[in-house]
Amino acid sequence: FLSLVAEFCCGLFVILILGNFWFLAVLYLVWLYLDWDTPCTGGRRLQCVRSWTVWKYFREYFPIHLIKTSDLSPNHNYLLGFHPHGVLVAGAFGNFCTGSVFKNLFPGLTPYLHIMPIWFGCPFFREYVMSAGMVSASKESVSYVLNKKGGGHASVIVIGGAEESLNAHPGSLTLNILKRKGFIKMALKHGAHLVPVFSFGENELFKQVANPKGSRLRNIQEKLQKIMGFALPLFHARGVFQYSFGLIPYRQPIHTVVGSPIPVKQNLNPTAEDIDQLHALYLQKLRQLFEDHKRNYGIPEHKTLVFE
């Protein structure tokens, strides 16, 4: 979804260069140079963009719901780990970048959805994603948010990243998380409370071409992901007027459940043991969150999360 919008924005920029508006392209390049660090310093959100009516219809299409299980005090900063990535990351975008649902449930907190830095190099597109409240997923960007004084700020990180999107098959409960400990270290260094978030229904929006690990297709996808920085899942869903084939996501409800915070004491120089201990506790709380709510959203009793 992001790649399609980004391609449109890049195409528009090329048209400006090749057309009679090349001077606008030059002015924008100057602006890009001067504004390059903004995605790493809190971005530039615009409430008018976050409140566009189209986002209301976007959330109602699936529909997307945000479920609160515990209060989050605005006196602290938080790092929310979002799972799973899925293909579209619709739950993360719909709940943290549009409307006022999050604000109403968690008053005093400002969410920042961190996405891959590569998207902020795309002309025009970077302005759009920043206006919606998205910022870079770089260490500098996460540190900037979590280091804000007085609390009331929440970094939202899709922990599995692009690699996990290749596991986004209907019914899949596999999370790429065992080797992902950078977010744990960031939470420790800044004393940010950790909050597990699980989005039920995220993997049901598309059908992906079979790509089991070890297959030729999966090997190609993983190599391309390492080269380009983002994955290329081959997926399909429904069309505009029929349900048999197309790229419009299926209308499947998404329930994004925000768990209870895990208190974290600031440790400027955490050891590997400190990181591993907190990581194990986070996995425990994430699994507990899933088990406590899976019955409400159609997950069979015998199914559970698989950590890779």
Side-chain angles (χ1 to χ4, degrees):
F1 174 72
L2 284 178
S3 62
L4 291 175
V5 180
E7 287 174 8
F8 172 80
C9 292
C10 288
L12 179 60
F13 186 72
V14 171
I15 291 173
L16 288 179
I17 294 177
L18 300 179
N20 295 324
F21 301 98
W22 59 267
F23 61 94
L24 292 178
V26 172
L27 288 176
Y28 184 81
L29 287 175
V30 173
W31 162 256
L32 189 63
Y33 173 79
L34 297 174
D35 194 57
W36 189 256
D37 292 333
T38 301
C40 294
T41 54
R44 186 171 46 249
R45 68 180 59 219
L46 295 175
Q47 189 56 41
C48 60
V49 174
R50 291 169 59 87
S51 301
W52 279 350
T53 303
V54 66
W55 303 136
K56 174 178 178 291
Y57 295 118
F58 174 80
R59 293 193 302 272
E60 291 178 350
Y61 172 81
F62 298 98
I64 296 174
H65 305 277
L66 185 65
I67 291 87
K68 172 182 176 179
T69 64
S70 176
D71 290 331
L72 298 181
S73 171
N75 297 322
H76 300 291
N77 288 331
Y78 298 88
L79 195 159
L80 277 62
F82 184 92
H83 312 270
H85 184 287
V87 172
L88 189 61
V89 206
F93 177 77
N95 286 311
F96 304 117
C97 297
T98 70
S100 57
V101 176
F102 182 89
K103 181 179 179 180
N104 293 336
L105 288 179
F106 302 100
L109 281 187
T110 301
Y112 298 80
L113 179 60
H114 295 268
I115 63 175
M116 290 184 297
I118 188 174
W119 297 119
F120 296 99
C122 179
F124 302 127
F125 180 71
R126 68 188 298 274
E127 317 304 334
Y128 157 67
V129 294
M130 278 197 289
S131 66
M134 288 178 262
V135 293
S136 172
S138 66
K139 292 181 180 179
E140 296 79 10
S141 178
V142 177
S143 292
Y144 182 89
V145 174
L146 298 182
N147 202 38
K148 284 179 173 287
K149 304 299 181 183
H153 302 276
S155 282
V156 182
I157 302 177
V158 184
I159 304 300
E163 182 182 357
E164 192 173 86
S165 67
L166 299 178
N167 290 328
H169 296 272
S172 174
L173 295 172
T174 301
L175 303 181
N176 292 58
I177 192 173
L178 291 182
K179 296 181 180 180
R180 295 180 181 267
K181 301 180 181 180
F183 73 105
I184 298 291
K185 185 175 182 180
M186 295 297 290
L188 282 167
K189 292 184 69 173
H190 295 283
H193 294 353
L194 280 168
V195 181
V197 179
F198 195 87
S199 194
F200 292 89
E202 199 74 45
N203 284 340
E204 317 305 314
L205 306 184
F206 297 92
K207 292 180 180 178
Q208 191 172 168
V209 175
N211 60 342
K213 287 198 171 183
S215 65
R216 170 181 274 185
L217 175 58
R218 186 60 169 258
N219 290 337
I220 293 175
Q221 288 175 319
E222 290 176 348
K223 288 180 181 178
L224 289 175
Q225 190 265 324
K226 291 179 180 179
I227 295 173
M228 299 184 297
F230 57 90
L232 292 174
L234 299 179
F235 59 89
H236 68 88
R238 54 162 291 185
V240 178
F241 303 110
Q242 43 77 30
Y243 285 80
S244 58
F245 188 83
L247 295 179
I248 297 176
Y250 293 114
R251 297 192 69 177
Q252 296 289 338
I254 298 172
H255 295 87
T256 303
V257 184
V258 181
S260 301
I262 303 170
V264 177
K265 185 177 181 180
Q266 187 173 24
N267 183 347
L268 296 177
N269 296 292
T271 63
E273 183 179 356
D274 295 330
I275 295 172
D276 288 342
Q277 185 176 2
L278 183 56
H279 186 258
L281 177 59
Y282 179 86
L283 294 183
Q284 176 187 333
K285 295 296 184 181
L286 174 60
R287 187 180 294 279
Q288 181 182 336
L289 177 69
F290 174 81
E291 294 294 331
D292 288 346
H293 294 273
K294 68 180 183 181
R295 301 168 191 82
N296 299 331
Y297 307 117
I299 306 296
E301 185 66 31
H302 68 279
K303 283 206 164 190
T304 189
L305 295 178
V306 177
F307 296 146
E308 288 187 347

